[in-house]
Amino acid sequence: MEGLQTKIKFCGLIRESDILAANTLLPDYIGFVFAPKSRRYVTPGQAEKLKKRLDPHIQAVGVFVNETPENIASLLNAGIIDIAQLHGQEDTAYIAHLRSLTDRILIQAFRIDRKSDVVTAQKSTADYILLDSGDGGTGTAFDWTLLKEIDRPYFLAGGLHPGNVADAIGNLKPFAVDVSSGIESEHKKDIQKMRSFIAAVRSAEPRKEEIL
């Protein structure tokens, strides 16, 4: 089977200029962070305005931390976001409840500190898992050798930047790579770094097969 390119997610977009940059570069996904404690936080109203400017070929992911399923479903069903990413302590019952309210794709994020965290992540009932360091947006990587035996599609996050993402793809073959601080300068999205990241991913060895 012909190799397939690793998908790309730019997370933490907050300005119209971020959206315009994404429209030029065409990552597969962009992320809106709905966690109020994040410096990249956007309100639903801000996200709605930004989504209207987003190229329709790019899917918008909403990032949530222990938000109520009803609030997430309302944003999904209204088309303000296309996918929900769960970054808190959401469990199987929570995901089942959310699935009863919407049929949209769900991503569940996991902090990876040890091998048992990978085992836990693989059992997730979400459509995809996202493997990260810390609580997300920290700009630091975890020990990628912990992922040697993973056998389901995942988004790789944590400490990725234009200088290391090609190696990550070559070694791990993730379904997608997720970047936020690695494409920023002075806490703002930097179109040159965004462009370099895209180029590095698209020049990397493609993954071998489609899984979902």
Side-chain angles (χ1 to χ4, degrees):
M1 181 182 294
E2 184 179 352
L4 295 166
Q5 199 72 56
T6 303
K7 294 185 181 295
I8 300 166
K9 175 169 171 265
F10 287 163
C11 200
L13 276 60
I14 61 175
R15 301 174 300 166
E16 184 175 327
S17 59
D18 299 339
I19 298 296
L20 297 178
N23 289 347
T24 298
L25 300 171
L26 294 178
D28 301 278
Y29 313 95
I30 61 93
F32 296 132
V33 178
F34 293 102
K37 292 183 179 180
S38 172
R39 61 180 172 81
R40 303 180 183 97
Y41 170 70
V42 294
T43 65
Q46 290 171 322
E48 184 174 16
K49 291 178 181 177
L50 293 171
K51 178 64 155 53
K52 288 178 179 178
R53 301 299 304 273
L54 184 68
D55 187 295
H57 294 94
I58 304 172
Q59 292 186 290
V61 180
V63 180
F64 302 92
V65 178
N66 301 322
E67 183 57 79
T68 65
E70 290 77 11
N71 286 345
I72 296 176
S74 68
L75 293 173
L76 287 166
N77 295 336
I80 296 173
I81 54 173
D82 304 300
I83 298 171
Q85 179 177 316
L86 311 175
H87 232 291
Q89 285 73 51
E90 300 88 357
D91 58 15
T92 301
Y94 179 104
I95 291 175
H97 184 190
L98 182 53
R99 285 198 188 281
S100 74
L101 302 172
T102 184
D103 61 358
R104 298 302 186 95
I105 290 174
L106 306 179
I107 303 168
Q108 187 172 18
F110 292 87
R111 173 175 175 164
I112 304 299
D113 291 319
R114 56 189 67 84
K115 195 169 184 178
S116 60
D117 297 327
V118 179
V119 173
T120 299
Q122 291 207 117
K123 296 176 182 178
S124 171
T125 57
D127 300 288
Y128 291 102
I129 53 176
L130 182 145
L131 309 179
D132 203 350
S133 58
D135 295 321
T138 62
T140 58
F142 60 91
D143 182 0
W144 292 341
T145 64
L146 295 171
L147 307 183
K148 294 287 187 181
E149 299 175 8
I150 196 164
D151 61 1
R152 67 174 288 180
Y154 65 93
F155 286 66
L156 178 66
L160 294 175
H161 54 75
N164 68 1
V165 69
D167 285 340
I169 292 169
N171 290 326
L172 301 172
K173 304 293 192 294
F175 171 78
V177 287
D178 185 317
V179 63
S180 188
S181 59
I183 51 170
E184 292 179 348
S185 295
E186 298 180 352
H187 301 309
K188 294 180 180 179
K189 292 295 183 283
D190 181 326
I191 190 169
Q192 296 303 326
K193 289 184 178 181
M194 296 165 84
R195 183 176 288 115
S196 296
F197 190 90
I198 288 271
V201 173
R202 291 179 177 162
S203 65
E205 182 72 20
R207 55 197 168 85
K208 299 302 183 184
E209 59 182 6
E210 185 68 276
I211 302 178
L212 184 65

